[in-house]
Amino acid sequence: MAHESTSAIYTAAGANLAIAAAKFVGAFFTGSSAMLAEGVHSMVDTTNQILLLVGMKRAKRPADALHPFGYGREIYFYAFIVALFIFLGGGAFAVYEGIHKLHYPEPVSDAHVFGHTIPGLWVNVGILGFAVLAEGYSCAVALKSFWAEKGSRPPITAIRRSKDPALFTVLIEDVAALMGLVVALSGVILAHVLDMPDLDGWASIAIGAILIGMAAFLMIETHGLLIGEAADPALVAAIRAVVRTEPGVHNVNAVLTQHMGPSDILVNVSLDMDDTLSAGAIEAMVGRLEQKLKAESPDVTRVFIEIQSKEAASYPATAAAEA
């Protein structure tokens, strides 16, 4: 899914850069706190997409003596940094700006452009309307890529099991951005209609709360990937099934897997073999199994097979299974 992830990121980065520029112009002319918070949010999102692209590029570096399993986890590290940026650069700033606005509420100013006066309300509504269209397109691209990956799983389950943080991070960012835009529009319009400038500040605080919630969710998800997660249970079950077809296998002591990157799975299998098999026969079996497991999934890049008795094997109960 690397190509789809990259396409979604480029689309989101372009959309957010244009949206950020428009929001900052609107905030400058009208003094809207919610608009300023949204501008910072879009700028943070643009930076985040650049960070994800950097992470994806660094993750492709080949293995070396210092990192014999490669650099695939770089993308997990950068995805975690992105979550922190959303929390601090977007959410915390929006809450701070909203609180400041509550203490010093001011009505939205009219914009004066080339000698013409444009009501501040319509400036903000026009810019936010443009942002909704641009962000909606970006979200549609990310959603299409995500839908192709998730299969028949429910969306939340697919995100929890996904090993490609670049894709689901962009999707979650876009969803949070659309929610924030709805809140900003509501705050700007209600502040004008009800003549309550402090509603603009409350809108900014609500935007911050949305971003902080999304950031916390992303940090939890990327933290699990960063410290190492097993492959999908369906793939682990398929690996067990393949291993059990080999003659001479008395017991599958354990199947241990770990994602070294979105499409880079390390597989370690512990087997109790027939003691009468020769070293040559076991060597041939190991070669066959490695080929079969890599054919089972293109994401399986490294296979290690241990031969040990069932009694001597010591693994967590979740990793062990009877043949």
Side-chain angles (χ1 to χ4, degrees):
M1 300 304 295
H3 172 70
E4 277 135 359
S5 298
T6 304
S7 298
I9 293 172
Y10 276 119
T11 301
N16 281 313
L17 188 59
I19 292 168
K23 288 175 180 175
F24 281 132
V25 170
F28 174 78
F29 281 116
T30 66
S32 169
S33 179
M35 184 67 78
L36 179 61
E38 274 293 304
V40 173
H41 172 204
S42 295
M43 202 65 230
V44 168
D45 280 354
T46 304
T47 304
N48 288 344
Q49 272 106 47
I50 294 172
L51 285 173
L52 288 175
L53 289 171
V54 170
M56 291 175 71
K57 183 177 181 180
R58 291 179 62 86
K60 293 178 181 178
R61 289 183 294 168
D64 53 33
L66 190 61
H67 295 88
F69 292 109
Y71 292 82
R73 284 187 179 172
E74 285 267 21
I75 185 59
Y76 299 154
F77 169 76
Y78 278 89
F80 190 79
I81 295 299
V82 163
L84 288 177
F85 263 52
I86 296 173
F87 184 90
L88 297 174
F93 176 82
V95 171
Y96 166 80
E97 184 63 23
I99 293 173
H100 176 77
K101 189 75 172 185
L102 290 178
H103 284 92
Y104 305 98
E106 294 179 4
V108 173
S109 304
D110 292 337
H112 302 281
V113 183
F114 301 117
H116 298 282
T117 299
I118 305 174
L121 172 66
W122 296 114
V123 172
N124 284 339
V125 169
I127 290 173
L128 290 174
F130 162 74
V132 167
L133 292 176
E135 200 69 66
Y137 174 73
S138 173
C139 188
V141 172
L143 192 60
K144 180 181 178 182
S145 300
F146 174 74
W147 225 256
E149 181 188 275
K150 87 174 190 67
S152 59
R153 298 170 181 160
I156 294 299
T157 302
I159 291 174
R160 299 299 303 272
R161 290 191 178 182
S162 175
K163 311 303 178 183
D164 185 357
L167 185 56
F168 68 70
T169 296
V170 170
L171 177 61
I172 290 174
E173 276 186 348
D174 286 344
V175 170
L178 284 173
M179 293 172 65
L181 287 169
V182 171
V183 171
L185 266 172
S186 302
V188 167
I189 293 173
L190 289 175
H192 175 79
V193 172
L194 301 177
D195 194 23
M196 297 175 61
D198 56 334
L199 289 179
D200 190 43
W202 283 113
S204 183
I205 293 173
I207 292 169
I210 291 170
L211 295 179
I212 289 172
M214 291 293 188
F217 178 76
L218 284 175
M219 280 190 278
I220 292 171
E221 290 304 308
T222 53
H223 170 261
L225 293 169
L226 193 59
I227 63 174
E229 282 190 1
D232 188 274
L235 177 58
V236 175
I239 290 173
R240 289 187 186 279
V242 169
V243 172
R244 286 169 177 164
T245 62
E246 278 295 320
V249 174
H250 284 332
N251 190 73
V252 181
N253 300 323
V255 174
L256 304 177
T257 61
Q258 189 170 112
H259 267 269
M260 310 306 292
S263 300
D264 184 358
I265 301 174
L266 169 69
V267 176
N268 185 60
V269 182
S270 171
L271 300 176
D272 184 355
M273 301 293 298
D274 188 338
D275 293 337
T276 63
L277 291 175
S278 66
I282 292 177
E283 186 178 277
M285 181 274 298
V286 169
R288 286 195 307 273
L289 271 183
E290 182 172 1
Q291 291 182 352
K292 288 180 180 180
L293 295 183
K294 288 182 177 180
E296 185 67 31
S297 172
D299 292 343
V300 174
T301 55
R302 299 172 184 84
V303 178
F304 296 93
I305 298 177
E306 283 184 284
I307 308 300
Q308 56 186 160
S309 67
K310 179 181 177 181
E311 292 74 20
S314 177
Y315 294 98
T318 53
E322 293 295 326

